[in-house]
Amino acid sequence: MHPRFQNVFAQLPASLQAALRPLLSVNAFPAMLSAAEGVSLRQQTGMDEATLTFSLLPLAAACARPSISHFQVGAIARGVSGNLYFGANMEFPGTTLQQTLHAEQSAVSHAWLRGEKQLTAITVNYTPCGHCRQFMNELNSGTRLLINLPGRPPSTLGDYLPDAFGPGDLNIKTRLLDEECHRFTLQGDTLTQAAIAAANRSHAPYSNAPSGMALEMKDGTIFSGSYAENAAYNPSLPPLQAALNLAYLSGYESQDILRALLAERPDAPLTQWETSVAVLRSLNCRSIDRVLLN
């Protein structure tokens, strides 16, 4: 079991500990549960879906990297597939606070990059901030998305974000988690192809500046992240944070990064390059490169 889970695991109900132990017994636990695994856990524990998801929140929060705030937030996104995707807040000392990844963003992007087509609910251990409410409003589930909080009845995103401003106000039809392909040709080595593939699936309808980041770890594993824009602009998620999120949720550390590669258009109205370099250097990653898309 990965060390991050050990303390909170001991505090879980005994029946849940017994059911989860085989899944958490290896460090490679991907911070997600398949629909079949969720059904099995409910059968073994006698918990309903809501009780199980709330019970799993401490494990999601244990994935947090709150080195600035020292405040752990956990989130679990449920996809239409039935899969459960963990998320947690990720902070990056040595950079600006704007680089922070919120737990809800973490869970949403985790689901997106694992191939989930739509989300039905997100469960969080603290009330979503306005930034996250706006970010979730970009989803193809829209304001119908259920928000589950401890001690409160389920409510929709529309309840938490009344009179919302979103993609529809800007006549944008494609939403986050919809199928997307920008048709850039794959080329180069495996890492370069992973970055281009990530750029191809970017959600960038406002700037038309798709981009993707690929991180190669020292053991050869590659994590890629796609850029996810927002109608309100500021809650947009950079591709580097999306890639780091997958790596951290999978149990990797910053020192495990061997090299990083960004794919973006040279003529785009915005660039991810300078901020990506700044964050990666703060993580002591020195092998940073870029491929220009055309």
Side-chain angles (χ1 to χ4, degrees):
M1 182 183 301
H2 195 281
R4 60 185 169 170
F5 294 129
Q6 289 175 352
N7 289 338
V8 295
F9 181 80
Q11 300 170 31
L12 299 178
S15 60
L16 185 55
Q17 288 187 40
L20 277 173
R21 188 171 282 108
L23 300 175
L24 299 179
S25 61
V26 294
N27 285 347
F29 174 66
M32 66 168 286
L33 295 168
S34 69
E37 289 168 339
V39 170
S40 177
L41 290 177
R42 294 198 299 272
Q43 290 173 341
Q44 292 180 67
T45 61
M47 296 178 178
D48 60 25
E49 184 174 307
T51 302
L52 174 63
T53 308
F54 279 119
S55 298
L56 292 169
L57 269 181
L59 294 176
C63 297
R65 303 295 181 101
S67 47
I68 300 172
S69 68
H70 307 293
F71 187 74
Q72 291 179 305
V73 184
I76 298 177
R78 187 185 191 281
V80 290
S81 65
N83 294 348
L84 299 175
Y85 305 91
F86 290 14
N89 55 314
M90 309 285 179
E91 299 167 1
F92 305 96
T95 65
T96 63
L97 288 177
Q98 286 89 339
Q99 302 304 318
T100 300
L101 182 70
H102 296 221
E104 294 89 338
Q105 290 180 301
S106 171
V108 167
S109 65
H110 186 192
W112 178 40
L113 296 176
R114 297 278 190 197
E116 188 61 59
K117 303 303 182 186
Q118 192 174 74
L119 299 181
T120 60
I122 189 160
T123 302
V124 193
N125 58 350
Y126 294 101
T127 304
C129 69
H131 181 96
C132 291
R133 298 179 197 194
Q134 181 65 47
F135 180 81
M136 292 186 287
N137 193 42
E138 195 74 20
L139 287 164
N140 55 12
S141 44
T143 53
R144 304 183 308 276
L145 181 73
L146 281 178
I147 308 292
N148 298 314
L149 294 167
R152 301 187 190 181
S155 298
T156 66
L157 177 60
D159 295 324
Y160 284 97
L161 192 65
D163 198 20
F165 175 84
D169 295 287
L170 298 174
N171 297 316
I172 298 299
K173 306 301 182 185
T174 303
R175 305 295 181 92
L176 187 59
L177 267 71
D178 282 344
E179 291 283 348
E180 181 66 89
C181 182
H182 296 284
R183 303 184 184 279
F184 298 114
T185 302
L186 299 185
Q187 58 180 296
D189 64 7
T190 303
L191 188 69
T192 305
Q193 292 187 32
I196 297 172
N200 272 333
R201 65 180 307 186
S202 290
H203 176 70
Y206 308 105
S207 68
N208 193 27
S211 59
M213 176 68 72
L215 303 175
E216 182 180 356
M217 316 311 279
K218 292 177 181 177
D219 66 1
T221 302
I222 292 176
F223 293 98
S224 56
S226 302
Y227 178 42
E229 283 189 334
N230 189 271
Y233 287 22
N234 292 83
S236 299
L237 180 65
L240 173 58
Q241 272 77 346
L244 286 170
N245 182 56
L246 275 185
Y248 289 159
L249 289 172
S250 298
Y252 285 83
E253 302 293 335
S254 302
Q255 58 265 31
D256 296 322
I257 302 172
L258 180 64
R259 59 190 183 121
L261 190 139
L262 173 70
E264 64 178 359
R265 285 176 43 207
D267 59 343
L270 56 84
T271 176
Q272 305 289 339
W273 177 244
E274 286 82 5
T275 54
S276 296
V277 169
V279 174
L280 285 163
R281 285 180 176 166
S282 77
L283 300 175
N284 294 316
C285 175
R286 294 292 180 263
S287 180
I288 310 166
D289 206 350
R290 175 168 59 166
V291 61
L292 298 178
L293 303 169
N294 51 48

